[in-house]
Amino acid sequence: MGSGRRFLYYLLLTLAVALITYNAIISSTSIFLNPGFPGRRGAPPSRSSSDPVVQMPFDRRRDEGRRPRPFHTAVTASDSVYNAWQCRVMYYWFKKVRDATPASEMGGFTRILHSGRPDKLVDEIPTFVADPLPAGTDQGYIVLNRPWAFVQWLQKADIQEEYILMAEPDHIIVKPVPNLAKAGLGAAFPFFYIEPKKFESVLRKYYPEDRGPITDIDPIGNSPVIIGKASLLKIAPTWMNLSLAMKKNPEADKAFGWVLEMYAYAVASALNGVGNILHKDFMIQPPWDLEVGDKYIIHYTYGCDYNMKGELTYGKIGEWRFDKRSFGQKPPPRNLPLPPDGVPQSVVTLVKMVNEASANIPNWDIF
């Protein structure tokens, strides 16, 4: 090989080594600066590296250009009229919001019906029929059927998406929900009344000290939660068994009451090593939250009672009221009266959205 050729050969070799070294440095550095990892530089404020509490939304600009991660929305329900009309409203708004935003990560939808038999809505709402618990097992606490229904659905259904949003019949989707799950963590709403520290003595029966601090248990229920399907497959059987065990334990049953199944999910998540990013602004709950703002979901679990001056009369039936429990035997009538002046925007929006759904859903009075 001539001297000129040898010089050219060594020059090209040197340049190739330099390029490989540069790429290796860039790649390794990007891992440590990735803003998606909680606790890293550039991540939203957090209370620990594995369980951040963040304001919504994340800086979505950092996620521009990433591969979409569609999620499947799943709602459990009984075949009661009470659940049926709420599911119809929920599905109406799910479809409207998703279809208006083709680029949304909102994928398919399933109502998981735990009555053991089809009902009148199976042709209107995509439905998976699950078996209920054996008679008497729920001890009158019908919510115990929820984890058992999820176990069946996850085992038997063909779920195309790799993520799942667990929602409830009394959720109304206001705007497209992005996939908020990150880095193996679920995305969940923190409930002020889920207090693991307060009930540590009870919870230690299910989450022993050798598993870790009680703060490993997040203040969440199963809904709203966006979680990887693989993680939920691990959590669901534990969630079911814990729910049944807690219900049989008089101390736990008394301590947790109507939110027992929520505590069971929080513990099951911790036992399976699945942490959650806690999103305070995942949803609002009228009448306590006054405006919809940038939230994604309205959860109408509380009654809304006001006098005609627009003043809240909570605990006392108001001159104007909207309470889902008023419609246990039949759906709310179409064109509900709007609240008086002075009532918060969140409540006005809620009633307008129920009215729009009922006006556009055929055979609204089917039940």
Side-chain angles (χ1 to χ4, degrees), residues 7 16 45 72 74 114 125 138 154 164 196-197 200 203 211 219 245 254 265 267 271 275 294 361:
F7 174 76
H72 195 100
H114 51 69
I125 304 174
D138 64 18
L154 289 164
I164 293 165
K197 187 65 178 175
E200 180 170 3
L203 290 172
R211 296 304 298 263
K254 180 179 179 181
Y265 180 84
V267 175
L271 284 172
D294 291 329
I361 295 173

Side-chain angles (χ1 to χ4, degrees), residues 3 24 33 52 109 136 145 202 231 270 290 311 315 328 330-331 336 346 350:
S3 60
L33 299 184
F109 183 100
N145 285 280
V202 180
S231 294
L290 305 182
E311 299 167 336
K330 60 181 181 179
L336 288 166
S346 61
L350 166 61

Side-chain angles (χ1 to χ4, degrees), residues 29 43 47 63 77 92 101 104 158 172 224 260 282 324 332 349 351:
T29 304
R47 58 188 170 100
D63 287 338
Y92 171 86
T101 316
S104 167
D158 180 18
I172 293 180
L260 180 147
F282 205 149
K324 65 179 183 177
T349 301
V351 177

